[in-house]
Amino acid sequence: MLSSKASSNCHGQDSLYFLGWQVYEKNPFHEVENPTGIIQMGLAENQLSFDLVESWLRKNPDVMGLKNKDGESVFRDLALFQDYHGMPAFKNELVEYMAKIRGNKVKFDPNNLVLAAGATSANETLIFCLADPGDAILLPTPSYAGFDRDLKWRTGVEIVPIHCSSSNGFRISMFALEEAYERAQKLNLKVKGVLITNPSNPLGTTMTKDELQSLITFAIDKDIHLISDEVFSGTVFDSPCFISIMEAAMDSNLKRNTDVLSRIHIVYSLSKDLGLPGFRVGMIYSNNQTVVSAATKMSSFGLVSSQTQYLLSYMLANKKFTSNYMKRNQKRLKKRKEMLVSGLKKSGINCLKSNAGLFCWVDMRHLLCSNTFEAETDLWKKILCEVGLNISPGSSFHCSQPGWFRVCFANMNQSTLQVALRRIKDFVERSSFNYQQNGGSLSRKLISNWVRKLSSADREEQER
Amino acid sequence: WLAKNPEAVGCKRDGQSIFRELALFQDYHGLPAFKKALVDFMAEIRGNKVSFEPNNIVLTAGATSANETLMFCLAEHGDAFLLPTPYYPGFDRDLKWRTGVQIVPIHCTSSNCFRITASAIEEAYQQAQKKNLTVKGILITNPSNPLGTTMTRPELNLLINFITDKQIHLISDEIYSGTVFNSPSFISIMEALKDMNMEKNNRVHIVYSLSKDLGLPGFRVGAIYSNDPTVVSAAVKMSSFGLVSSQTQYLLSVMLSDKKFRNHYIVKNQNRLLKRQRKLVSGLEKSGIRCLESNAGLFCWVDMRHLLSSDTFEAEMELWERIIYDVKLNISPGSSCHCNEPGWFRVCFANMSEDALELAMQRLKSFVGSIKKHNHQESEKLRKESHIGKWIFRLSFQSFNEQDQR
């Protein structure tokens, strides 16, 4: 009676990534009202720099009030503005902001920018433009859990993973890339492109120029597209500095291939660095006019509210604000990440070295009772329900190695993070104590059972 | 209202900034206060004869997104939906493009004022069968775009019985429900169901938006209403692809919660629409052009068949080109709405000032006047160009010429 899309679970939201949120919502932590509740560490949001935005808003009440510089209401114009080409002033500011994030090493043309209701919409739209149902996109793992819904659900496109492993810091190797491509061929899937997230979610790392250029060469060689989801580009807080796919493509060697730019597409959004996920501002940038044209028409299905375009065009036009925001936001992110990393280290837990993002990729392999995803899920459940932290298990990111977790650090205040770190410390200490008590392997269990039986008589006497 | 309520637009509540809360709010279940205000508004538009449950509403970025999402939920690639013609041209994109769903028209004609008949529906259904298409439902627009009419109770009952019999869905796109300015009063599909004791029917779904009656297309506020929890659940997840900006949800939740404003707006807006529609209708009448009698919408369905040089769509295109390029009025030809009779045009009246409408009427009057003169001259020419006519023409040519030069 309903479509298969509606009645099945191919929306991909049954993953532990989303289930953790549901459990959190039933018992959310609050410093005062619910101090024993679950702390949300599975949501990659930036709440560290709102004060900077709020300060700008206070100084510019007219813009919020939908008035122009002369104090006249622009409500009527905005209420009627539904042009899917987007507000020109807004797009002009967006491309300048994007260039600024990239150290002005690349320049963007506002005519090549297509607005969408968030990166969620932008990614889906790009897939509709570049692939047909049954085609495939290669995606390096671990990758954002939401891609199963965004890239596959309504488009009918398949995802074929490019397996990355901790052996080389989860970098994309040419070998892994070729292997994924061949796997797709074996499955009779036509590969239409590769989608990378740079900086990476969930790794928090930025790609090197070599990696990017290898990907571009691969795309040219196989005559496929390359989508670079750069939603976290504004969250790079440490060296090495961010290299956009556009910058890598500008290299003279690659430029010789005149159509290289027509196969590279960027996705961006204001949800991560500016911390405005509720305002639904996403975009596609492409030099391919056919893609821009089709994507623009498709954006009808998810336009950005004109009220929001107006507000943000003014905010981004204030260059002093954007410079100050970028600098201070990055500092705060760095500080907060360092707090998480050092806190975890005190509990004997290491993180993948990262320089970007709103999360760390945390190595908890040593806490698993076995090197399996079942053990990872058990650990995840314990941490969620007993320790009270909603962190996201690597399996929900399709990581091929059990034991890795994504832990977010920017969506809470400092004292909450400290509570979380204390809880982890206690848990780790308890776990190792239990380990010493009960043993981690069958033989230890047997021995301790035997020891217990022998000494039970003694103990019983003591307990009396 | 905005001038008196700066907090709504300034993201404040009781003097406190709630900017942070809104900036972070991306829950696809939507802002509860907004959904509550929206269902209250929808009920009021329907004279409070029906009520809506906020949990059954899914917010989307405009009705464009709502319609597409419903297709994804109800039909597979290659399935079909039946749509009465004439229909909104955008449906070809919204319902078909990315979903792969087919549209099979239910032909309506001027012989009965474009009302939907049982035979037209049956015929469309069979057409679909012949093409090996699985019909998943019917989509109606009520009030109709482009007709500007509201559906009658018999039409609605006919549709409900048909979909029940065939076990298919019914989508009622009611985005113009707030633009009903004259009798007969609007009967929502929900009211029709209620009167048949089928209120909880889970195969009927409504699409709404604030773009038409509230005049806010830029804010991208659409909604799907359904009694089927599976549809609501799937549509809510799909709404991730087109959520409504939280900044906008907040502003409108405050505005629509204001009962006084709601009542005042609905009444005044309807009065103005009525007045403006009458101006267009009488203006067209002065040019000898009639409209389909309408009681809703932001446009009239205008009968220009008598201005066609022939009863064909080519002639309709010619007329349209002349009206666009010579008369300089952008009106929409019936063929773009899949009307199966040439000569009908949709003419909007609510998107311009009164003066601009006045000017449009004057231009049209001159144009029609010149056509009449031209047609008279043409028919004269034709008469004279028959065999005998030619002879007479040659004889009288001199005298005609002499007349002209005077």
Side-chain angles (χ1 to χ4, degrees), chain B residues 193-232:
Chain B
L193 282 171
K194 193 176 175 186
D195 294 342
M196 285 170 102
N197 282 323
M198 292 171 73
E199 218 171 338
K200 293 296 174 205
N201 185 302
N202 64 354
R203 278 203 208 95
V204 174
H205 324 279
I206 292 181
V207 168
Y208 183 57
S209 144
L210 299 183
S211 303
K212 303 297 171 182
D213 39 17
L214 278 187
L216 307 172
F219 287 4
R220 313 316 302 147
V221 182
I224 294 168
Y225 188 88
S226 177
N227 283 312
D228 185 335
T230 314
V231 171
V232 171

Side-chain angles (χ1 to χ4, degrees), chain B residues 153 156-157 160 187-196:
Chain B
R153 176 88 53 172
L156 293 167
N157 290 347
I160 293 171
I187 306 169
S188 164
I189 192 74
M190 281 303 168
E191 193 187 327
L193 282 171
K194 193 176 175 186
D195 294 342
M196 285 170 102

Side-chain angles (χ1 to χ4, degrees), chain A residues 270-290:
Chain A
L270 300 184
S271 303
K272 302 298 172 184
D273 40 8
L274 280 185
L276 307 171
F279 288 5
R280 314 314 304 147
V281 181
M283 59 214 84
I284 295 167
Y285 187 88
S286 178
N287 286 303
N288 185 322
Q289 293 313 310
T290 316

